[in-house]
Amino acid sequence: MELIIKGVSKKYRRDFWGLRDFSLELGTGVLGLLGPNGAGKSTLMRILATITDATEGTVTWNGVDIARKPNELRQALGYLPQDFGVYPNLNAREFLEYMAAIKGLDGKSAKRRIDELLQLVNLMEAAKRPLGSYSGGMRQRVGIAQALLNDPQLLIVDEPTAGLDPEERVRFRSLIAELSGEHIVILSTHIVSDVEAAATSIAIIHKGHLVIYAWPEQILQSVEGKVWEWCISSQEQPAIREKFLVTSTARRSDGVHVRAISETQPNPDANPVQGTLEDAYLYYVQSAREAVP
Amino acid sequence: MSVSRTLFHVMRADFFERSRRYSFLITLGLTIFAAYLSLPPSSADYLMMGLDHYRGIYNSAWIGAAVAVICSSLLSLPAFYLVKNAIERDERTGVGQIIATTPLTKPLYTLGKTFSNFVFLVVMVGVIALAAGAMQLIRAEVLHIDLWALLSPFIFSVLPAMAVIAAVAVLFETIPWLRGTFGNVVYFVLWMVLIISLAMNISMRVPLFDLWGVQVIMSSMMKDTAAVFPDYEMDSFAISMATLQEPLQTFTWNGVHWTVKIIFNRILWLGVALGISLLAALLFRLFDPALQKPNLSRDRETLEAMPSESTQPAPKTAPIVLTPLPSTHRSFYPMRVLLAELRLLFKGIGWWWFFILAGLIVAGILLPVEKARQYLLPIAWVLPLGLWSALGIGEKRHNTDQLIYSAPHPLSRQFPMVWLAGVIASIIAGVGVAANMILAGDWLHLMAWATGALFIPSLALALGVWSGSNKLFEVVYMLWWYAGPINHVESLDFMGTGANFQVNRVFIYGLLIMLLLALAVLGRKKQLKR
């Protein structure tokens, strides 16, 4: 099972590229795709989900070019787009039955799978309510369920935990981690903690370019010894933000506790602390901004 | 913020949203083409706006008045459907809920929407007026352009009519049962009634009947024609493409003398538009999502039995157990897809619909076959209008397109089943009449019936896929239905309701069905790769 993305670019307008020369080779595991808004994450997801064609480059699924034979991949695909809708007059079970028919599941398998999925996404009790009466989080759970209907070998999920409450988010993370052994999962999100919890590899993308593709620990290594914390007055904040990459601030009784990334000790009072994935992500994005403004 | 400023900004945002769509350019292009067709050269064998075989020479007065009459009476049909989406768009995009939390009052909101509808229509009318001026130069019968004579019919006849249409569109959007397909049909019927009453009262000049400001122009034209050509039969006119039976004769017409009384009568219609808009404000329930939930009454019992999300006990973190699904369990099950599409199509329809359907089926069997064919079949094949018009647009309307299009073989598996579900809707609605034909051995008309059953969903699917909206099919179908099955214009009678149905029409419609299906497939193919 392998997905190879080779030199993929997507041009939207005459001089606007959503993705530039993007290459990755993926095997089983969870790829966490991180990047700021407009970085090209959803463009990449849509290309991989065969919704849109790449302008340049190829994507192959088990050696088959998905632009030429999209159905080879679609048979094995579960896709949760960032922005999707449901049929408001159908209830959750009916909607999943509809999607199961579209995905080519036989009746018996579909019924068993839908029961399991409704349980999994905690919608069993609400399964007979029309989807039009669902909250945003409940709809998102229906979306997750439909993506898993055909037991996909390749699961592509774009901002899957948007609108989920903390408890559901934890359930979803566990599910993704569970799937990582035998599936390829591509998880795009802004929530770094989701990636931290589930991803076996991470790709950071900026302005359509791949900034880094590495194991989480390799990414964490890049900020080792560069993350500092110290206390300042609130008046000093603008100057500090100007000078350093500040990754977080917290107001306390003794002043503002600043966490920042710097190659050298930024202040005599600054103490080195353990870097997090969020620190590393911001570090890479900042470096990419400086390289490609 | 002052009232006028608020109105201006509601209008401005709406106008930009509409005018930056491709459909706006397409509509403008079609409108200009219609203006071109409406002023044929003197060598043509038809008139679009004429009095028997007479017409005025193409000076500014005649061209302005003729195009204004066509514009006012005929544009009033598509104009309504073009603008009847201002509130729906705010609801769909979620902007409505943001607006509902601002200090904007309901009357200001509906007035703003009416105003924005009106401005949109004024721009279209303005383009038509410009095209009319250009046509005068192209036809070159009189080269001097008299701006007042050219534009005054647009200002006094067309604009008040467009103001009323703009307000009626908002009113229809604020009344829940007039928002959808039923409202589109109701407007079509209203428009037909107005057209017929206009034809019957053309020379009476009763302002009550003259929403479009056509009577004042037509009566002046008729009077002047009769003065020049004594053999002209008063009240004889055509506002449609009419073939000339005799050689064309022209005369110089100097236009309508717009008196204060006429202008006052026209301004009254602006007051009517204002009144309708304020009535819409009274009926408008703002954007309360609780009032927009679909068919909650049907599911009330389920809803009441269900605790709301916030009162549910915290979910247990049960171990995740998903049974692996071998790939051998995945294939194409056409029957399952078809049943799924049928459920999607019929879900959400009220019991009354099935009650009427049952009545039509029983009546179709019991009535004499001739009567069933002529009168009942056209009625039976209007009932599923809302089902057909949903064909091919559901994925886009409900934003499920990415889910459906990323499933295996969306074009060869799901799409044909969408069409087939539409065909089944036709068959169910017309089954009573078909059974009657079989019992009577009327095989010729049964063939026509089958042609109709295939033609309607094919037309719906093609127009739905390409326009992305239900309205185009609804308007085209209702016009086709009125001209063919109801008025027995033979070439348009796809159901074979007339007595003179011929087998060759089955072949012609068979070709048309294939063409429409090919168009639909092309359109869907285009949607699959955005």
Side-chain angles (χ1 to χ4, degrees):
Chain A
M1 200 189 312
E2 61 170 10
L3 182 73
I4 298 174
I5 306 161
K6 206 169 172 184
V8 165
S9 300
K10 178 72 184 179
K11 193 180 194 178
Y12 283 111
R13 291 187 299 274
R14 205 160 55 113
D15 53 352
F16 179 75
W17 293 82
L19 210 58
R20 279 315 286 265
D21 197 21
F22 194 97
S23 299
L24 271 185
E25 287 189 22
L26 298 176
T28 53
V30 179
L31 170 73
L33 196 58
L34 288 169
N37 289 332
K41 301 189 297 293
S42 292
T43 299
L44 177 65
M45 297 285 207
R46 280 197 291 269
I47 291 171
L48 299 181
T50 71
I51 297 291
T52 191
D53 277 335
T55 313
E56 290 169 6
T58 56
V59 179
T60 57
W61 168 248
N62 293 334
V64 177
D65 185 343
I66 66 163
R68 289 189 182 171
K69 292 185 174 175
N71 291 310
E72 290 288 324
L73 181 126
R74 286 173 184 161
Q75 299 278 7
L77 175 70
Y79 178 46
L80 175 68
Q82 185 178 8
D83 179 28
F84 72 97
V86 289
Y87 295 116
N89 287 320
L90 299 186
N91 62 40
R93 184 177 289 281
E94 289 166 343
F95 181 70
L96 292 175
E97 280 168 0
Y98 175 81
M99 289 306 299
I102 300 286
K103 291 185 179 203
L105 266 67
D106 67 87
K108 209 172 148 193
S109 307
K111 193 184 173 311
R112 192 186 58 220
R113 190 82 181 165
I114 289 166
D115 281 339
E116 289 175 358
L117 285 167
L118 284 171
Q119 214 126 37
L120 180 75
V121 296
N122 199 30
L123 284 175
M124 205 51 158
E125 285 182 74
K128 287 186 178 170
R129 278 170 59 180
L131 292 172
S133 69
Y134 273 29
S135 68
M138 291 166 88
R139 283 187 201 201
Q140 190 71 9
R141 285 186 264 157
V142 173
I144 292 168
Q146 70 75 32
L148 295 167
L149 259 176
N150 54 333
D151 192 7
Q153 290 177 297
L154 172 63
L155 179 66
I156 299 178
V157 283
D158 201 351
E159 301 289 351
T161 54
L164 295 189
D165 60 38
E167 204 153 11
E168 293 300 337
R169 184 175 290 167
V170 169
R171 278 165 80 90
F172 183 74
R173 282 175 183 173
S174 314
L175 170 70
I176 293 293
E178 184 108 337
L179 291 171
S180 64
E182 294 167 10
H183 302 75
I184 298 177
V185 182
I186 302 177
L187 164 71
S188 163
T189 181
H190 287 104
I191 303 163
V192 180
S193 60
D194 281 353
V195 171
E196 203 157 23
T200 50
S201 61
I202 293 170
I204 297 175
I205 178 170
H206 179 255
K207 290 202 168 171
H209 294 270
L210 178 65
V211 178
I212 185 168
Y213 170 50
W215 306 117
E217 49 270 35
Q218 287 174 306
I219 290 190
L220 281 170
Q221 265 173 15
S222 61
V223 287
E224 216 170 72
K226 293 175 188 164
V227 186
W228 306 86
E229 262 186 18
W230 72 104
C231 187
I232 58 166
S233 67
S234 52
Q235 288 83 6
E236 286 175 279
Q237 264 199 82
I240 295 289
R241 282 188 186 280
E242 190 81 17
K243 207 168 166 191
F244 304 105
L245 172 60
V246 175
T247 59
S248 75
T249 56
R251 280 186 185 278
R252 296 283 180 271
S253 56
D254 56 342
V256 180
H257 286 229
V258 176
R259 186 183 177 96
I261 298 173
S262 171
E263 301 285 339
T264 55
Q265 189 178 24
N267 186 291
D269 297 332
N271 300 312
V273 289
Q274 184 73 42
T276 63
L277 194 59
E278 189 146 347
D279 294 322
Y281 163 69
L282 291 169
Y283 172 71
Y284 275 111
V285 170
Q286 179 69 19
S287 309
R289 270 199 192 114
E290 282 162 10
V292 188
Chain B
M1 195 186 274
S2 69
V3 171
S4 56
R5 198 168 149 71
T6 307
L7 281 175
F8 172 74
H9 281 282
V10 171
M11 179 280 294
R12 183 174 177 264
D14 228 40
F15 182 75
F16 283 159
E17 173 63 28
R18 277 176 167 149
S19 59
R20 287 173 183 168
R21 291 167 182 266
Y22 280 117
S23 55
F24 178 67
L25 291 177
I26 293 168
T27 311
L28 279 185
L30 287 174
T31 309
I32 293 169
F33 183 63
Y36 176 82
L37 278 184
S38 66
L39 297 166
S42 51
S43 57
D45 63 349
Y46 75 94
L47 275 180
M48 190 72 184
M49 162 73 216
L51 311 146
D52 277 348
H53 56 287
Y54 308 109
R55 71 156 167 84
I57 57 166
Y58 286 153
N59 58 11
S60 296
W62 182 271
I63 282 195
V67 177
V69 165
I70 292 165
C71 183
S72 197
S73 53
L74 300 187
L75 183 70
S76 51
L77 182 67
F80 171 81
Y81 297 106
L82 276 173
V83 295
K84 200 193 116 198
N85 59 3
I87 296 177
E88 182 229 312
R89 194 176 42 247
D90 281 353
E91 196 176 298
R92 187 168 32 82
T93 55
V95 172
Q97 289 193 46
I98 299 169
I99 291 173
T101 60
T102 66
L104 186 70
T105 61
K106 285 199 279 183
L108 262 186
Y109 180 74
T110 53
L111 271 175
K113 289 294 172 191
T114 303
F115 187 39
S116 74
N117 285 353
F118 180 59
V119 168
F120 182 80
L121 295 175
V122 166
V123 169
M124 286 191 52
V125 170
V127 171
I128 295 173
L130 280 176
M135 283 306 294
Q136 187 185 341
L137 299 177
I138 291 168
R139 295 294 176 236
E141 290 183 13
V142 175
L143 286 172
H144 169 70
I145 289 185
D146 178 345
L147 271 183
W148 175 248
L150 182 77
L151 297 180
S152 55
F154 288 98
I155 296 167
F156 298 125
S157 282
V158 186
L159 294 191
M162 293 300 139
V164 174
I165 289 166
V168 170
V170 172
L171 179 68
F172 270 49
E173 284 202 85
T174 56
I175 301 173
W177 50 275
L178 287 178
R179 297 183 90 177
T181 300
F182 183 69
N184 293 345
V185 174
V186 168
Y187 183 79
F188 180 81
V189 173
L190 276 177
W191 181 79
M192 287 301 306
V193 168
L194 275 174
I195 281 275
I196 292 164
S197 70
L198 170 73
M200 288 166 69
N201 303 290
I202 195 73
S203 56
M204 283 169 60
R205 293 183 65 170
V206 183
L208 181 67
F209 296 121
D210 197 15
L211 161 63
W212 296 325
V214 166
Q215 285 174 357
V216 66
I217 295 172
M218 293 301 292
S219 55
S220 165
M221 284 177 169
M222 286 172 183
K223 207 175 78 188
D224 291 1
T225 309
V228 181
F229 304 105
D231 58 336
Y232 166 67
E233 198 180 314
M234 205 59 178
D235 285 2
S236 173
F237 72 100
I239 312 176
S240 61
M241 205 172 276
T243 309
L244 284 168
Q245 305 296 332
E246 291 176 60
L248 176 72
Q249 292 195 23
T250 58
F251 68 104
T252 301
W253 184 67
N254 292 317
V256 174
H257 176 56
W258 298 99
T259 62
V260 174
K261 191 183 164 201
I262 295 172
I263 293 171
F264 178 74
N265 282 338
R266 297 306 300 154
I267 288 173
L268 274 181
W269 285 105
L270 295 178
V272 171
L274 186 71
I276 293 171
S277 182
L278 292 175
L279 175 66
L282 277 179
L283 299 168
F284 186 40
R285 307 286 296 270
L286 268 173
F287 295 97
D288 182 357
L291 301 169
Q292 294 155 16
K293 298 274 165 68
N295 303 301
L296 292 190
S297 57
R298 272 187 323 135
D299 300 277
R300 198 174 300 281
E301 280 178 31
T302 326
L303 271 179
E304 281 166 1
M306 269 293 304
S308 70
E309 192 184 20
S310 57
T311 59
Q312 279 183 55
K316 292 173 198 148
T317 45
I320 299 155
V321 185
L322 282 176
T323 315
L325 198 66
S327 57
T328 49
H329 287 243
R330 274 161 277 174
S331 182
F332 175 43
Y333 301 95
M335 215 45 207
R336 278 178 50 74
V337 182
L338 178 61
L339 286 174
E341 287 298 338
L342 279 171
R343 177 191 268 169
L344 192 59
L345 199 60
F346 283 93
K347 194 84 196 253
I349 295 173
W351 62 268
W352 60 268
W353 190 92
F354 291 102
F355 185 74
I356 295 171
L357 177 71
L360 287 170
I361 293 172
V362 173
I365 297 168
L366 297 180
L367 275 177
V369 70
E370 192 116 326
K371 295 265 185 288
R373 193 190 73 226
Q374 278 186 356
Y375 304 114
L376 199 92
L377 188 59
I379 296 168
W381 274 353
V382 165
L383 188 67
L385 187 67
L387 302 185
W388 291 318
S389 65
L391 298 179
I393 62 166
E395 296 85 2
K396 202 170 170 181
R397 181 191 275 176
H398 299 296
N399 199 16
T400 56
D401 49 351
Q402 291 195 68
L403 305 181
I404 309 285
Y405 300 166
S406 62
H409 307 279
L411 193 63
S412 60
R413 293 183 179 177
Q414 184 250 358
F415 196 55
M417 296 305 153
V418 173
W419 176 74
L420 214 51
V423 173
I424 289 172
S426 315
I427 292 172
I428 293 172
V431 72
V433 182
N436 201 337
M437 287 172 179
I438 292 168
L439 291 173
D442 188 357
W443 306 113
L444 179 70
H445 285 103
L446 189 67
M447 276 204 312
W449 177 93
T451 308
L454 296 173
F455 169 70
I456 305 168
S458 309
L459 181 70
L461 195 60
L463 296 184
V465 165
W466 280 99
S467 71
S469 155
N470 54 329
K471 289 180 193 164
L472 182 61
F473 167 72
E474 285 167 7
V475 176
V476 169
Y477 180 73
M478 288 308 291
L479 284 171
W480 203 313
W481 173 87
Y482 183 75
I486 299 292
N487 281 313
H488 306 303
V489 175
E490 281 186 21
S491 58
L492 299 178
D493 183 7
F494 57 88
M495 300 180 198
T497 56
N500 302 322
F501 186 78
Q502 288 165 345
V503 180
N504 65 350
R505 216 177 308 152
V506 173
F507 294 108
I508 293 167
Y509 272 92
L511 285 174
L512 190 55
I513 290 164
M514 282 194 275
L515 181 72
L516 287 167
L517 289 177
L519 271 175
V521 169
L522 266 180
R524 176 51 61 95
K525 225 174 171 176
K526 196 167 157 274
Q527 288 173 338
L528 285 175
K529 289 288 174 198
R530 290 178 302 176

mmCIF file of all heavy atoms in Angstrom, chain B residues 334-335 338 341-342 345 391 414-427 454 457 461:
data_model
loop_
_atom_site.group_PDB
_atom_site.id
_atom_site.type_symbol
_atom_site.label_atom_id
_atom_site.label_comp_id
_atom_site.label_asym_id
_atom_site.label_seq_id
_atom_site.Cartn_x
_atom_site.Cartn_y
_atom_site.Cartn_z
ATOM 1 N N PRO B 334 -26.738 -1.873 -8.457
ATOM 2 C CA PRO B 334 -27.571 -0.828 -9.061
ATOM 3 C C PRO B 334 -28.893 -0.617 -8.313
ATOM 4 O O PRO B 334 -29.329 0.508 -8.118
ATOM 5 C CB PRO B 334 -27.847 -1.340 -10.484
ATOM 6 C CG PRO B 334 -26.940 -2.478 -10.700
ATOM 7 C CD PRO B 334 -26.432 -2.953 -9.396
ATOM 8 N N MET B 335 -29.491 -1.714 -7.867
ATOM 9 C CA MET B 335 -30.790 -1.609 -7.205
ATOM 10 C C MET B 335 -30.677 -0.812 -5.904
ATOM 11 O O MET B 335 -31.549 0.000 -5.589
ATOM 12 C CB MET B 335 -31.291 -3.036 -6.924
ATOM 13 C CG MET B 335 -32.770 -3.220 -7.046
ATOM 14 S SD MET B 335 -33.425 -2.454 -8.506
ATOM 15 C CE MET B 335 -35.055 -2.144 -7.920
ATOM 16 N N LEU B 338 -30.266 2.816 -6.788
ATOM 17 C CA LEU B 338 -31.538 3.373 -7.270
ATOM 18 C C LEU B 338 -32.490 3.616 -6.091
ATOM 19 O O LEU B 338 -33.119 4.680 -6.003
ATOM 20 C CB LEU B 338 -32.177 2.421 -8.291
ATOM 21 C CG LEU B 338 -33.538 2.855 -8.829
ATOM 22 C CD1 LEU B 338 -33.448 4.191 -9.553
ATOM 23 C CD2 LEU B 338 -34.112 1.804 -9.782
ATOM 24 N N GLU B 341 -31.409 6.626 -4.249
ATOM 25 C CA GLU B 341 -31.764 7.867 -4.957
ATOM 26 C C GLU B 341 -33.258 8.150 -4.842
ATOM 27 O O GLU B 341 -33.670 9.306 -4.710
ATOM 28 C CB GLU B 341 -31.356 7.781 -6.439
ATOM 29 C CG GLU B 341 -29.872 7.872 -6.699
ATOM 30 C CD GLU B 341 -29.249 9.193 -6.252
ATOM 31 O OE1 GLU B 341 -29.962 10.195 -6.109
ATOM 32 O OE2 GLU B 341 -28.024 9.201 -6.013
ATOM 33 N N LEU B 342 -34.075 7.090 -4.900
ATOM 34 C CA LEU B 342 -35.523 7.279 -4.781
ATOM 35 C C LEU B 342 -35.883 7.791 -3.388
ATOM 36 O O LEU B 342 -36.719 8.685 -3.250
ATOM 37 C CB LEU B 342 -36.249 5.952 -5.051
ATOM 38 C CG LEU B 342 -36.432 5.606 -6.528
ATOM 39 C CD1 LEU B 342 -36.958 4.188 -6.678
ATOM 40 C CD2 LEU B 342 -37.376 6.585 -7.214
ATOM 41 N N LEU B 345 -35.076 11.346 -3.218
ATOM 42 C CA LEU B 345 -36.003 12.159 -4.016
ATOM 43 C C LEU B 345 -37.335 12.354 -3.294
ATOM 44 O O LEU B 345 -37.879 13.461 -3.273
ATOM 45 C CB LEU B 345 -36.237 11.449 -5.361
ATOM 46 C CG LEU B 345 -36.783 12.276 -6.509
ATOM 47 C CD1 LEU B 345 -35.841 13.412 -6.851
ATOM 48 C CD2 LEU B 345 -36.985 11.407 -7.740
ATOM 49 N N LEU B 391 -33.405 17.143 -9.735
ATOM 50 C CA LEU B 391 -32.464 16.202 -10.356
ATOM 51 C C LEU B 391 -31.185 16.931 -10.774
ATOM 52 O O LEU B 391 -31.242 17.974 -11.421
ATOM 53 C CB LEU B 391 -33.092 15.543 -11.594
ATOM 54 C CG LEU B 391 -34.351 14.689 -11.372
ATOM 55 C CD1 LEU B 391 -34.850 14.132 -12.702
ATOM 56 C CD2 LEU B 391 -34.070 13.548 -10.412
ATOM 57 N N GLN B 414 -23.728 6.348 -10.108
ATOM 58 C CA GLN B 414 -24.728 7.143 -9.382
ATOM 59 C C GLN B 414 -25.579 7.991 -10.333
ATOM 60 O O GLN B 414 -26.795 8.057 -10.195
ATOM 61 C CB GLN B 414 -24.024 8.054 -8.364
ATOM 62 C CG GLN B 414 -24.975 8.853 -7.480
ATOM 63 C CD GLN B 414 -24.969 10.348 -7.802
ATOM 64 O OE1 GLN B 414 -24.228 10.807 -8.665
ATOM 65 N NE2 GLN B 414 -25.810 11.093 -7.119
ATOM 66 N N PHE B 415 -24.952 8.620 -11.306
ATOM 67 C CA PHE B 415 -25.643 9.587 -12.167
ATOM 68 C C PHE B 415 -26.821 8.960 -12.941
ATOM 69 O O PHE B 415 -27.915 9.529 -12.956
ATOM 70 C CB PHE B 415 -24.625 10.238 -13.101
ATOM 71 C CG PHE B 415 -25.116 11.497 -13.753
ATOM 72 C CD1 PHE B 415 -25.602 12.550 -12.992
ATOM 73 C CD2 PHE B 415 -25.087 11.636 -15.127
ATOM 74 C CE1 PHE B 415 -26.056 13.708 -13.584
ATOM 75 C CE2 PHE B 415 -25.532 12.792 -15.732
ATOM 76 C CZ PHE B 415 -26.018 13.830 -14.967
ATOM 77 N N PRO B 416 -26.627 7.777 -13.579
ATOM 78 C CA PRO B 416 -27.771 7.184 -14.289
ATOM 79 C C PRO B 416 -28.940 6.880 -13.342
ATOM 80 O O PRO B 416 -30.101 6.953 -13.754
ATOM 81 C CB PRO B 416 -27.203 5.885 -14.872
ATOM 82 C CG PRO B 416 -25.740 6.076 -14.893
ATOM 83 C CD PRO B 416 -25.411 6.967 -13.747
ATOM 84 N N MET B 417 -28.612 6.570 -12.087
ATOM 85 C CA MET B 417 -29.677 6.240 -11.130
ATOM 86 C C MET B 417 -30.471 7.496 -10.733
ATOM 87 O O MET B 417 -31.649 7.413 -10.408
ATOM 88 C CB MET B 417 -29.090 5.570 -9.880
ATOM 89 C CG MET B 417 -28.452 4.237 -10.175
ATOM 90 S SD MET B 417 -29.593 3.107 -11.004
ATOM 91 C CE MET B 417 -28.468 2.079 -11.903
ATOM 92 N N VAL B 418 -29.806 8.636 -10.763
ATOM 93 C CA VAL B 418 -30.505 9.903 -10.493
ATOM 94 C C VAL B 418 -31.578 10.095 -11.571
ATOM 95 O O VAL B 418 -32.736 10.411 -11.281
ATOM 96 C CB VAL B 418 -29.507 11.095 -10.512
ATOM 97 C CG1 VAL B 418 -30.231 12.422 -10.406
ATOM 98 C CG2 VAL B 418 -28.496 10.962 -9.385
ATOM 99 N N TRP B 419 -31.179 9.867 -12.808
ATOM 100 C CA TRP B 419 -32.107 10.017 -13.944
ATOM 101 C C TRP B 419 -33.245 8.996 -13.835
ATOM 102 O O TRP B 419 -34.421 9.341 -13.999
ATOM 103 C CB TRP B 419 -31.338 9.829 -15.259
ATOM 104 C CG TRP B 419 -32.214 9.869 -16.478
ATOM 105 C CD1 TRP B 419 -32.800 10.962 -17.034
ATOM 106 C CD2 TRP B 419 -32.605 8.754 -17.297
ATOM 107 N NE1 TRP B 419 -33.526 10.604 -18.140
ATOM 108 C CE2 TRP B 419 -33.424 9.249 -18.328
ATOM 109 C CE3 TRP B 419 -32.333 7.392 -17.252
ATOM 110 C CZ2 TRP B 419 -33.977 8.436 -19.306
ATOM 111 C CZ3 TRP B 419 -32.877 6.575 -18.229
ATOM 112 C CH2 TRP B 419 -33.697 7.096 -19.241
ATOM 113 N N LEU B 420 -32.854 7.774 -13.536
ATOM 114 C CA LEU B 420 -33.850 6.704 -13.439
ATOM 115 C C LEU B 420 -34.864 6.993 -12.330
ATOM 116 O O LEU B 420 -36.063 6.717 -12.494
ATOM 117 C CB LEU B 420 -33.134 5.374 -13.162
ATOM 118 C CG LEU B 420 -33.763 4.128 -13.787
ATOM 119 C CD1 LEU B 420 -34.030 4.295 -15.258
ATOM 120 C CD2 LEU B 420 -32.845 2.910 -13.563
ATOM 121 N N ALA B 421 -34.401 7.564 -11.239
ATOM 122 C CA ALA B 421 -35.324 7.935 -10.150
ATOM 123 C C ALA B 421 -36.331 8.966 -10.667
ATOM 124 O O ALA B 421 -37.524 8.902 -10.333
ATOM 125 C CB ALA B 421 -34.542 8.490 -8.968
ATOM 126 N N GLY B 422 -35.857 9.895 -11.495
ATOM 127 C CA GLY B 422 -36.753 10.891 -12.097
ATOM 128 C C GLY B 422 -37.761 10.245 -13.029
ATOM 129 O O GLY B 422 -38.940 10.620 -13.066
ATOM 130 N N VAL B 423 -37.302 9.240 -13.797
ATOM 131 C CA VAL B 423 -38.207 8.524 -14.716
ATOM 132 C C VAL B 423 -39.280 7.795 -13.892
ATOM 133 O O VAL B 423 -40.469 7.823 -14.246
ATOM 134 C CB VAL B 423 -37.415 7.515 -15.591
ATOM 135 C CG1 VAL B 423 -38.361 6.652 -16.405
ATOM 136 C CG2 VAL B 423 -36.447 8.254 -16.506
ATOM 137 N N ILE B 424 -38.856 7.205 -12.788
ATOM 138 C CA ILE B 424 -39.833 6.491 -11.942
ATOM 139 C C ILE B 424 -40.862 7.473 -11.374
ATOM 140 O O ILE B 424 -42.051 7.150 -11.292
ATOM 141 C CB ILE B 424 -39.095 5.699 -10.831
ATOM 142 C CG1 ILE B 424 -38.361 4.523 -11.485
ATOM 143 C CG2 ILE B 424 -40.063 5.191 -9.760
ATOM 144 C CD1 ILE B 424 -37.426 3.756 -10.586
ATOM 145 N N ALA B 425 -40.423 8.677 -11.046
ATOM 146 C CA ALA B 425 -41.370 9.695 -10.566
ATOM 147 C C ALA B 425 -42.406 9.997 -11.651
ATOM 148 O O ALA B 425 -43.610 10.130 -11.372
ATOM 149 C CB ALA B 425 -40.620 10.962 -10.166
ATOM 150 N N SER B 426 -41.952 10.086 -12.914
ATOM 151 C CA SER B 426 -42.896 10.323 -14.040
ATOM 152 C C SER B 426 -43.865 9.157 -14.155
ATOM 153 O O SER B 426 -45.071 9.349 -14.347
ATOM 154 C CB SER B 426 -42.171 10.446 -15.384
ATOM 155 O OG SER B 426 -41.064 11.249 -15.293
ATOM 156 N N ILE B 427 -43.321 7.945 -14.070
ATOM 157 C CA ILE B 427 -44.155 6.747 -14.255
ATOM 158 C C ILE B 427 -45.218 6.673 -13.152
ATOM 159 O O ILE B 427 -46.397 6.460 -13.439
ATOM 160 C CB ILE B 427 -43.271 5.470 -14.264
ATOM 161 C CG1 ILE B 427 -42.401 5.473 -15.526
ATOM 162 C CG2 ILE B 427 -44.132 4.207 -14.199
ATOM 163 C CD1 ILE B 427 -41.351 4.371 -15.567
ATOM 164 N N LEU B 454 -39.928 9.757 -20.278
ATOM 165 C CA LEU B 454 -38.462 9.801 -20.398
ATOM 166 C C LEU B 454 -37.954 11.225 -20.644
ATOM 167 O O LEU B 454 -36.875 11.604 -20.190
ATOM 168 C CB LEU B 454 -37.998 8.896 -21.549
ATOM 169 C CG LEU B 454 -38.261 7.394 -21.396
ATOM 170 C CD1 LEU B 454 -37.894 6.671 -22.685
ATOM 171 C CD2 LEU B 454 -37.462 6.832 -20.237
ATOM 172 N N PRO B 457 -37.699 13.939 -17.187
ATOM 173 C CA PRO B 457 -36.499 13.887 -16.330
ATOM 174 C C PRO B 457 -35.199 14.168 -17.084
ATOM 175 O O PRO B 457 -34.237 14.666 -16.494
ATOM 176 C CB PRO B 457 -36.495 12.468 -15.767
ATOM 177 C CG PRO B 457 -37.504 11.710 -16.501
ATOM 178 C CD PRO B 457 -38.426 12.653 -17.177
ATOM 179 N N LEU B 461 -32.737 16.963 -15.821
ATOM 180 C CA LEU B 461 -31.354 16.636 -15.462
ATOM 181 C C LEU B 461 -30.369 17.539 -16.220
ATOM 182 O O LEU B 461 -29.430 18.091 -15.630
ATOM 183 C CB LEU B 461 -31.086 15.163 -15.781
ATOM 184 C CG LEU B 461 -29.843 14.543 -15.171
ATOM 185 C CD1 LEU B 461 -29.889 14.603 -13.657
ATOM 186 C CD2 LEU B 461 -29.672 13.096 -15.612
#
